[in-house]
Amino acid sequence: QVQLVESGGGLVQPGGSLTLSCTASGRAFNNNAMAWHRQAPGKEREFVAAINWRGIRANYADSVKGRFTITRHNANNTVNLQMNTLNHEDADIYYCAAHYGGDWSRVARVEHWGKGTLVTVSS
C-alpha cells in the first residue's frame, strides 16, 4: 500500500520557521516529481512547491518564493519543506504529493496524496 505521511506541522509565531517532512512507503518514488500543496478551510487546494526526481530543480508558488525551500532524499524516500518568515497567510493544511511521472510544474496531476499536516501561525 502506497502511503505518504507528513510530519512537522504545528504552531509557530509570525516570522518564525518550520520544517515539514514527508515519508513515502509502499514503493520508491525516485521517478516521480514530489510536491507540497496546501489548503485553507473553504478554499481550493493550491500548489506550493515541487521538485524534480533528481532533486536539482524546483518550482515555487509566487507567494512562497524566497521563503520556502523544497528538498528530497531519494535514499530514504523523504521530501522536506523548509518554511521561513511565516505569516498568517501560510496557515493551512499542508499536503505531500507525488506527481505523475517527472512533471514538476505547478499544474501537474497528482498520483498520490498524503493526509496532511496542520500549520498554524499565531502570536
Side-chain angles (χ1 to χ4, degrees), residues 32-114:
N32 291 77
M34 298 295 292
W36 289 91
H37 297 245
R38 67 186 183 186
Q39 186 171 20
K43 294 187 178 180
E44 291 188 357
R45 194 169 298 186
E46 64 175 9
F47 170 85
V48 175
I51 190 166
N52 75 335
W53 70 274
R54 293 182 64 187
I56 60 174
R57 302 189 74 177
N59 198 354
Y60 296 94
D62 291 341
S63 59
V64 306
K65 199 173 295 183
R67 300 187 298 121
F68 290 13
T69 302
I70 186 171
T71 57
R72 68 185 295 166
H73 304 276
N74 289 337
N76 54 14
N77 260 1
T78 58
V79 181
N80 293 331
L81 185 68
Q82 172 68 42
M83 306 185 295
N84 297 326
T85 320
L86 286 161
N87 57 56
H88 294 289
E89 286 70 36
D90 297 315
D92 285 322
I93 298 175
Y94 283 73
Y95 297 90
C96 180
H99 286 181
Y100 273 99
D103 190 349
W104 51 287
S105 73
R106 302 182 184 190
V107 295
R109 290 189 303 141
V110 175
E111 182 177 3
H112 295 287
W113 289 104

